[in-house]
Amino acid sequence: MRFRFAGVAGLAVLIASVAALDASPALKPFERGTWQGVLKGHAGRPVLVHFWGVTCGPCKVELPLLGKFAKDHPDVDVVTVSADLVPNLPAATQSMLDKAGLSSTENFIFNDGFVERLRFEIDPAWQGDIPRTMLISRDGTITTIEGSAEIADLEKWSAQQLSKY
Amino acid sequence: MIRTGLLGIVALALLQGAALGQMHGKHASEAACEEPTLRCATKATPAFGPDGTLWLLWMAGGQVSVANSQDAGRSFSAPTQVTTKRLNLDWGPDARPKIVVDHKGGIAVAFSIFRDEAFNGQVLYTRSADGGKSFAELKPITANNESQRFEALALDQDGTVFAAWLDKRNRVPAKEAGRKYEGAALFFASSRDGGATYAEAALARDGTCECCRLGLAFAAPGRPAVIFRNIFDGGVRDHAVMTFADVSTPGEVHRVSTDDWQINACPHHGPSLTVAPNGTYHAVWYTNGKARKGLFYAHSRDEGRIFSAPMALGQPGRNPTRPFVLAGPAGTVMVWKEFDGEKTSIQMTISRDDGETWSPPKTISSTSDTSDHPLLVSDGKQTYLSWMTKADGYRFTAIEDQP
């Protein structure tokens, strides 16, 4: 019993320390190779990948709209990637995702100081402007929306994806 | 079963801990280390003093520090910390601390911090009157409490320090009046005492892009010229130049180029401007517009009213970024970054005919990890590349006369 107690206590301490480390266990690190993993992991499904950042004004306006879109379109896999370059962001990032209703989507945060290389893997022409949305259809065709997306355009794309099957 | 389940939870917790730990560790950082030393810097800004001393200002470990070099960057003095405690510095891609050194050796410094959890910025300034041994207490450049970022400093011939920055104060009254307000505003202030105090901030232009660095140079004594990403009709974020009539009087806005980049986003990629002694404006910028995409150069020989046709820079497949231009003693030099999928290189081209023709671009430095923007600085005899890299530290390299 004592052992078990110690184990439970240890676990509690461990969980507490993980929580203290950061309040955002749901955020996944986006590193070298992650982009290919995202593409493979969602292959055959319509995917919306949204790149954003907490210091980006237009992103703050768009994120809640995207949260509603995700809720209304369970057939579309929504993935967010915090591509901001300010350090120590996980807590602020998670807080904004939670407020935007995006707690349960697959959420990443850039986790490689060599951001040029990360961006190059995603799109060699991308220079880091955010927000940026990549729409990946079932057949793998990628449509990139630079800047804030019009929700009407997302609706249209989503309807096209569903009508194909 | 229970034990297995517990172990599973423990393993999961450990995995999460490891992943998050990584996010806080070196791996995720643009910095090589976390101390305030130059080796750990992510941004470093050079300036020459009147006696040929090279001054370097950098941000590292949440602090801003300065040191000087008497041997063109080969060695530096013991650093002086400009900040007295760790601050939430603006680490955005286009942010960096600024420095000018006046003819008496006074050092004026400005930089931005994030003032709150919503990432509202604040521009702070300070000055050293004892040759960089100590700095005055940090002060906000304006009493206004709306967000300010992307300050720029320039020194006039008479020692006046001119500051410009992007300021969001006018968003509030616009919103209250039900008016649409896009972006931010270009604000400015000048200092007649070498950067010890600044005059009240004034508006130069509403409706600028809010997240790109400014380019600032003196076109003539008393006449600062600013290049900035403006928001033109229809949300088009193309570049504009404004030449001030004097340090208190903004001038007209002239479009550098019609690139037609209509985007509601933060490009995080500002321009650069230099004015040659004969008055020619040389500008470089990034756009992703309908008319053209990439890095471009143009010059103006009529005080920034009309610019030449944009000239593309760099290899399109190598993601050319972060252009900088400086009219120096041996010619006008441009540098920018290119990336080949593994390495970042600095490309350089030089013009000896005031921007009419340019040498073939040449790789002058490279690194295999993240790096600061390339900057150019001149002591009046020689132009140098200043470049902070994570893997290889700080580099200060003379631009060779012959390309």
Side-chain angles (χ1 to χ4, degrees):
Chain A
M1 274 308 279
R2 204 177 282 172
F3 245 92
R4 202 171 285 172
F5 257 118
V8 172
L11 182 65
V13 168
L14 190 65
I15 290 170
S17 65
V18 168
L21 192 64
D22 200 289
S24 54
L27 281 177
K28 295 183 187 177
F30 195 103
E31 294 163 338
R32 204 172 186 190
T34 301
W35 178 241
Q36 285 305 318
V38 168
L39 293 180
K40 279 182 194 152
H42 295 269
R45 291 183 52 79
V47 197
L48 183 158
V49 187
H50 182 66
F51 298 91
W52 69 289
V54 294
T55 66
C56 150
C59 301
K60 290 180 188 176
V61 177
E62 186 179 7
L63 209 61
L65 303 175
L66 200 66
K68 184 169 184 313
F69 176 86
K71 194 181 162 202
D72 295 345
H73 298 81
D75 294 326
V76 174
D77 292 354
V78 174
V79 176
T80 76
V81 183
S82 166
D84 230 328
L85 304 170
V86 184
N88 304 318
L89 281 179
T93 303
Q94 187 65 51
S95 167
M96 273 187 69
L97 287 167
D98 293 345
K99 280 180 196 154
L102 288 163
S103 310
S104 56
T105 52
E106 189 176 13
N107 300 319
F108 290 93
I109 184 164
F110 265 21
N111 188 41
D112 185 335
F114 200 0
V115 289
E116 283 135 319
R117 194 173 59 195
L118 277 188
R119 289 197 296 255
F120 198 85
E121 284 186 3
I122 298 160
D123 177 355
W126 180 30
Q127 304 223 352
D129 46 276
I130 46 176
R132 186 180 183 91
T133 303
M134 295 172 90
L135 305 172
I136 309 169
S137 62
R138 290 179 197 273
D139 64 5
T141 308
I142 298 179
T143 308
T144 301
I145 300 171
E146 293 169 348
S148 303
E150 295 291 335
I151 297 300
D153 292 341
L154 301 183
E155 297 278 4
K156 198 172 151 193
W157 173 80
S158 166
Q160 282 169 357
Q161 295 305 305
L162 296 175
S163 68
K164 285 182 185 170
Y165 290 85
Chain B
M1 278 305 285
I2 291 172
R3 196 176 287 175
T4 314
L6 265 179
L7 277 175
I9 293 168
V10 171
L12 183 68
L14 280 171
L15 277 174
Q16 286 179 341
L20 287 164
Q22 247 184 5
M23 278 199 243
H24 289 258
K26 275 185 190 174
H27 182 64
S29 175
E30 290 181 284
C33 37
E34 300 301 324
E35 290 82 53
T37 58
L38 177 58
R39 185 65 191 87
C40 305
T42 50
K43 323 265 178 140
T45 310
F48 274 105
D51 60 350
T53 298
L54 170 66
W55 290 90
L56 192 66
L57 181 74
W58 67 84
M59 52 190 271
Q63 304 253 18
V64 177
S65 307
V66 68
N68 68 72
S69 172
Q70 305 294 336
D71 54 10
R74 281 184 286 278
S75 64
F76 282 91
S77 65
T80 302
Q81 278 187 215
V82 175
T83 48
T84 53
K85 61 179 181 186
R86 202 180 164 93
L87 293 171
N88 191 12
L89 298 170
D90 184 346
W91 290 70
D94 248 3
R96 68 172 53 258
K98 309 299 185 313
I99 178 171
V100 292
V101 185
D102 67 26
H103 59 274
K104 294 179 199 154
I107 303 168
V109 164
F111 58 89
S112 297
I113 59 166
F114 289 123
R115 191 161 36 81
D116 57 29
E117 289 182 357
F119 296 94
N120 284 305
Q122 182 177 45
V123 177
L124 301 177
Y125 76 91
T126 180
R127 182 176 192 270
S128 171
D130 58 6
K133 290 188 189 72
S134 65
F135 281 82
E137 191 183 349
L138 293 169
K139 288 179 195 157
I141 204 159
T142 168
N144 188 277
N145 266 336
E146 294 303 321
S147 187
Q148 312 125 25
R149 289 177 78 187
F150 304 110
E151 74 292 333
L153 291 182
L155 185 69
D156 201 356
Q157 279 184 0
D158 67 356
T160 299
V161 179
F162 183 82
W165 66 89
L166 298 179
D167 194 308
K168 289 192 172 175
R169 71 182 68 186
N170 286 349
R171 290 174 75 98
V172 180
K175 198 176 174 185
E176 283 169 2
R179 278 184 285 116
K180 193 181 174 192
Y181 187 92
E182 282 188 295
L186 178 66
F187 267 71
F188 66 97
S190 57
S191 170
R192 300 284 188 191
D193 54 14
T197 58
Y198 285 83
E200 193 171 338
L203 171 72
R205 169 85 181 179
D206 263 321
T208 69
C209 183
E210 65 269 51
C211 35
C212 288
R213 75 179 182 197
L214 306 173
L216 173 64
F218 269 89
R223 302 200 64 201
V226 186
I227 186 170
F228 55 100
R229 195 184 289 282
N230 191 42
I231 304 180
F232 289 97
D233 287 347
V236 173
R237 299 194 184 213
D238 286 355
H239 286 91
V241 160
M242 175 187 286
T243 307
F244 284 64
D246 57 57
V247 291
S248 309
T249 314
E252 287 177 20
V253 168
H254 297 288
R255 196 167 187 153
V256 175
S257 169
T258 303
D259 303 326
D260 199 12
W261 193 13
Q262 184 183 31
I263 189 168
N264 184 22
C266 287
H268 288 316
H269 207 153
S272 170
L273 173 73
T274 186
V275 181
N278 69 354
T280 301
Y281 287 41
H282 301 271
V284 277
W285 71 95
Y286 165 72
T287 184
N288 199 23
K290 287 195 193 91
R292 58 187 63 81
K293 296 175 193 297
L295 299 188
F296 294 90
Y297 160 82
H299 57 253
S300 167
R301 306 201 195 284
D302 60 359
E303 298 187 328
R305 290 182 189 85
I306 298 169
F307 278 83
S308 59
M311 177 184 94
L313 293 177
Q315 303 177 71
R318 294 209 163 177
N319 205 6
T321 55
R322 312 298 176 194
F324 198 92
V325 61
L326 186 70
T332 306
V333 180
M334 292 195 280
V335 286
W336 65 92
K337 283 168 132 178
E338 289 191 1
F339 184 65
D340 66 3
E342 291 295 332
K343 277 194 308 188
T344 298
S345 64
I346 300 302
Q347 303 295 311
M348 185 277 292
T349 180
I350 185 164
S351 172
R352 297 175 197 287
D353 55 10
D354 202 29
E356 286 298 325
T357 60
W358 293 85
S359 68
K362 179 183 169 186
T363 301
I364 56 168
S365 199
S366 66
T367 191
S368 58
D369 204 336
T370 196
S371 57
D372 190 9
H373 305 176
L375 305 175
L376 295 166
V377 65
S378 172
D379 60 359
K381 298 178 201 137
Q382 173 83 50
T383 298
Y384 297 86
L385 167 71
S386 169
W387 194 33
M388 185 68 217
T389 70
K390 181 178 177 180
D392 311 301
Y394 180 67
R395 289 176 174 177
F396 195 74
T397 316
I399 302 286
E400 292 169 38
D401 282 346
Q402 293 303 321

